Amino acid sequence: MKIKEIIDALEIFAPLPLQDGFDNAGLQVGLTDVEATGALLCLDVTEEVVEEAINQGFNLIISHHPLMFRGYKSITGKDYTERCIMTAIKNEIAIYSMHTNLDNAPNGVNYKIAEKIGLKNVTVLDPKEYMQQEDGCKNDTGDRKMPEWLTAGAGAIGELEEPMTETEFLKHVKKTFETGCVKHTKLTGRLITKVAICGGAGAFLMEKAVKQHADAFVTGEIKYHDYFYYEDKILAAEIGHYESEQYTKEIIQDLLNRKFPSLRTELTRINTNPIKYL
């Protein structure tokens, strides 16, 4: 199949209009009217990831975080982003990113986090409806269908199978996401049953979580002063941006394996987390 066919499938699952205004999801580098030799899936595009794609013989990299957020007036190799661009073009590798459109998509990033934690009855934390774009009006078999309103949005909320103490829950999250540190608000002795989540920098949803009576809120980044404001309202747990979104690659791989069984896909072996723990 051609790379553009793969991109069509990705955008049916997570339409680009779902991305937030600041974002730059979509095609970052390369041509799409060529046969795909394989897809390397990653959270971040780094020079090591591009070299990995070259060594694997793949001409497509699909990332969660976009390689480029800003415009460039020159490409001279002065930073890792420009070097990635140059190396990808030289080796005829296309780079495609699914960022906040995948965060906001039904069964997207936050549903994967909920699955890993073991939540049931999962719904969108901050829902919004959107009209499916005409170009993406295809069903799972690729046939055309009429536009329709779909429910998407930020974050997710669900319930644990069995209540946990705060300490049990924090240890469960720490083990599940293999994080070197879990920062959290003070313990109050509450039992944790209802859990709200948002991958990445999701502290903007904490008020929504409180209003929906969540016992705990798990995200990748929380601002310092939020710990003061929310300390008695909810157990807030900060597990790291990379750690919270690391399983995003599995969403993309599962989708591609269903749509294109003959396509070679690999999860990157590179840990691209720039934050280290002593």
Side-chain angles (χ1 to χ4, degrees), residues 4-25:
K4 65 182 180 181
E5 296 176 72
I6 296 171
I7 290 176
D8 284 345
L10 297 177
E11 293 184 359
I12 290 171
F13 184 83
L16 287 178
L18 285 182
Q19 69 179 308
D20 296 335
F22 68 86
D23 205 2
N24 188 39

Side-chain angles (χ1 to χ4, degrees), residues 166-167 169-185 187 217-220 222 227 235-240 243 277:
E166 292 167 314
T167 301
F169 177 73
L170 291 171
K171 287 181 177 179
H172 170 60
V173 169
K174 187 177 192 298
K175 180 179 179 181
T176 299
F177 294 91
E178 300 177 343
T179 182
C181 173
V182 175
K183 295 191 286 186
H184 60 86
T185 51
L187 304 182
F217 179 73
V218 178
T219 189
I222 298 175
Y227 283 91
L235 174 65
E238 180 181 357
I239 64 174
E243 288 83 355
Y277 299 97

Side-chain angles (χ1 to χ4, degrees), residues 135-147:
D135 289 344
C137 293
K138 299 178 183 178
N139 58 27
D140 287 342
T141 63
D143 298 324
R144 304 290 295 181
K145 64 177 183 178
M146 293 297 294

Side-chain angles (χ1 to χ4, degrees), residues 23-42:
D23 205 2
N24 188 39
L27 184 65
Q28 306 280 294
V29 175
L31 304 176
T32 63
D33 196 21
V34 296
E35 295 293 322
T37 60
L40 183 64
L41 314 178
C42 60

Side-chain angles (χ1 to χ4, degrees), residues 60-76:
L60 175 61
I61 296 172
I62 303 172
S63 69
H64 181 45
H65 294 141
L67 176 62
M68 292 179 281
F69 272 108
R70 62 180 178 85
Y72 287 84
K73 293 185 177 181
S74 64
I75 304 293
T76 62

Side-chain angles (χ1 to χ4, degrees), residues 186-238:
K186 70 179 182 181
L187 304 182
T188 63
R190 64 168 64 84
L191 281 178
I192 306 300
T193 300
K194 196 171 186 180
V195 179
I197 53 181
C198 183
F204 68 98
L205 287 175
M206 284 222 284
E207 190 64 35
K208 295 277 186 181
V210 170
K211 288 182 178 180
Q212 294 195 37
H213 308 291
D215 303 304
F217 179 73
V218 178
T219 189
E221 298 179 34
I222 298 175
K223 294 179 180 179
Y224 175 80
H225 289 284
D226 286 337
Y227 283 91
F228 285 108
Y229 185 75
Y230 290 100
E231 63 176 353
D232 294 320
K233 299 180 179 182
I234 196 168
L235 174 65
E238 180 181 357

Side-chain angles (χ1 to χ4, degrees), residues 234-272:
I234 196 168
L235 174 65
E238 180 181 357
I239 64 174
H241 197 122
Y242 174 90
E243 288 83 355
S244 71
E245 296 181 329
Q246 62 185 299
Y247 300 118
T248 301
K249 303 184 294 290
E250 296 179 9
I251 303 172
I252 303 170
Q253 187 173 51
D254 290 344
L255 172 63
L256 294 181
N257 286 347
R258 290 197 310 270
K259 298 289 186 180
F260 309 103
S262 63
L263 177 70
R264 288 197 302 150
T265 63
E266 292 284 347
L267 306 182
T268 181
R269 296 181 176 87
I270 307 297
N271 183 329
T272 60

